[in-house]
Amino acid sequence: MAYDSLMVFTGNANPKLASDVAKRLNISLGRATVGRFSDGESNVELLENVRGKDVFILQPTCAPANDNLMELVILADALKRASAGRITAAVPYYGYARQDRRPRSARVPIAAKVVANMLQAVGVQRVLTVDLHADQIQGFFDIPVDNIYATPILLGDIWKQRHDDLLVVSPDVGGVLRARAAAKRLETDLAIIDKRRPKANVAEVMHIIGDVEGRSCVIMDDIVDTAGTLVKAARALKEHGAKKVIAYCTHPVLSGSAVARIEESDLDELVVTDTIPLREDALACEKIRVVSIAGLLAETIIRISNEESVSSLFME
């Protein structure tokens, strides 16, 4: 079924995901030129009529975060000036989400709020995102935000693997709610890794709460960035007798030497979604596997466009 009033545009952040979503919606991607001037400035030109249309811009603000964010906001401005009926920013990975507070009253910005202000200022009327790093970021917006979850996709993959003696592990205290919900759905036990982070992007595993000996451990997290936490968690779990360690993470940021770190680690497998496109070294890594959220995004977009419930997608 084609939706005459629905259009999907994208920039250069994740064109494959946008193309997969458009195919599932049975529509063509909106035609637009999204490029660069010789000095590096982003430039956008819409190549078809959008007047009165329900338009979605599918663009994660992953690396290069500033370029992709700028493409998103000027795409939104172009659509507003071309009289689009409604503009929804579909941002599978919301960059700057980890800068959502002033830790210990440090003199730093709350960049997640700055991005929210930017999107609203250029005419975005609704935001669709996946697994926000902190749910309360929705409160930074004065427009509707649909924060959907990759959990059904990830849990479905775990069920398919049929692991023996499964145990869900939270990589830190902050992820306990996510891990507990997964353990409940999988009808299995929960363990927690207690770690201390002496400085940004450096994680030190302290000890494990729970019995992991002989278990197939599944670590559930939202973001894998430098992979320092995952690597140390896998090592600690194996040292405590874990039979197998698999990690499931929604957003594969994988910055710096993360891929090399994963290859050399005790981690048996890292399963991620395609909210962020993988670099070539990550695609070549045998320990990293991708499951797609294109179907979930397409279904959510249809429901938003048809003014139907989104939350019912995640009801038990």
Side-chain angles (χ1 to χ4, degrees):
M1 177 179 177
Y3 294 82
D4 293 334
S5 65
L6 173 62
M7 300 183 76
V8 176
F9 285 84
T10 188
N12 296 305
N14 198 342
K16 184 180 184 305
L17 176 60
S19 177
D20 290 346
V21 169
K23 284 179 183 176
R24 289 175 180 268
L25 293 171
N26 196 26
I27 62 175
S28 299
L29 272 177
R31 292 185 296 115
T33 299
V34 183
R36 298 274 185 279
F37 289 116
S38 58
D39 64 352
E41 288 183 9
S42 298
N43 76 301
V44 165
E45 182 181 359
L46 304 179
L47 302 178
E48 57 185 301
N49 177 33
V50 298
R51 185 176 296 272
K53 302 289 187 179
D54 190 9
V55 182
F56 291 77
I57 310 170
L58 206 159
Q59 174 91 337
T61 50
C62 51
N66 297 334
D67 289 346
N68 290 329
L69 175 60
M70 201 63 202
E71 286 182 3
L72 173 60
V73 296
I74 63 175
L75 260 169
D77 186 72
L79 289 163
K80 180 180 70 173
R81 294 176 189 279
S83 303
R86 179 174 65 175
I87 303 169
T88 301
V91 190
Y93 172 69
Y94 186 86
Y96 289 98
R98 286 173 285 180
Q99 298 183 52
D100 62 338
R101 64 197 182 284
R102 294 176 62 210
R104 297 176 297 279
S105 296
R107 296 182 182 91
V108 295
I110 300 179
K113 171 62 173 170
V114 174
V115 172
N117 288 345
M118 289 173 65
L119 293 176
Q120 292 172 125
V122 295
V124 169
Q125 293 155 278
R126 191 179 198 98
V127 172
L128 165 62
T129 189
V130 181
D131 278 346
L132 269 177
H133 186 62
D135 284 348
Q136 58 267 30
I137 291 173
Q138 295 172 78
F140 293 171
F141 290 89
D142 295 321
I143 55 177
V145 178
D146 291 298
N147 178 32
I148 65 172
Y149 305 97
T151 306
I153 307 296
L154 300 180
L155 290 182
D157 189 80
I158 295 172
W159 275 316
K160 288 178 186 175
Q161 303 307 312
R162 299 185 180 277
H163 297 294
D164 295 327
D165 211 1
L166 194 65
L167 175 71
V168 174
V169 179
S170 173
D172 51 34
V173 175
V176 169
L177 285 176
R178 181 184 298 105
R180 183 186 293 133
K184 181 182 178 182
R185 294 285 299 276
L186 293 167
E187 298 181 345
T188 188
D189 300 323
L190 173 69
I192 303 167
I193 295 177
D194 176 34
K195 76 175 191 296
R196 185 172 301 160
R197 189 184 294 274
K199 58 183 179 180
N201 293 333
V202 177
E204 181 182 354
V205 173
M206 302 299 287
H207 62 271
I208 295 170
I209 304 168
D211 184 13
V212 302
E213 188 167 356
R215 308 291 293 268
S216 295
C217 296
V218 171
I219 300 173
M220 302 292 293
D221 210 350
D222 62 332
I223 296 174
V224 51
D225 187 353
T226 63
T229 297
L230 276 184
V231 167
K232 291 186 178 182
R235 183 190 308 147
L237 290 167
K238 286 288 181 76
E239 287 173 353
H240 283 72
K243 178 172 60 177
K244 188 186 295 183
V245 180
I246 309 103
Y248 280 79
C249 300
T250 304
H251 306 298
V253 176
L254 298 175
S255 62
S257 57
V259 174
R261 201 172 283 125
I262 289 166
E263 285 181 333
E264 298 166 3
S265 72
D266 293 312
L267 200 63
D268 293 286
E269 188 178 38
L270 169 62
V271 182
V272 298
T273 75
D274 52 357
T275 57
I276 298 173
L278 294 183
R279 302 185 323 223
E280 288 186 10
D281 57 344
L283 287 169
C285 179
E286 294 183 355
K287 287 189 176 183
I288 300 175
R289 181 164 58 87
V290 180
V291 293
S292 181
I293 62 161
L296 179 63
L297 281 171
E299 177 62 27
T300 306
I301 287 171
I302 289 172
R303 290 182 178 222
I304 291 172
S305 185
N306 291 344
E307 303 293 348
E308 297 172 354
S309 170
V310 171
S311 60
S312 61
L313 276 171
F314 306 96
M315 297 293 186
E316 292 189 17

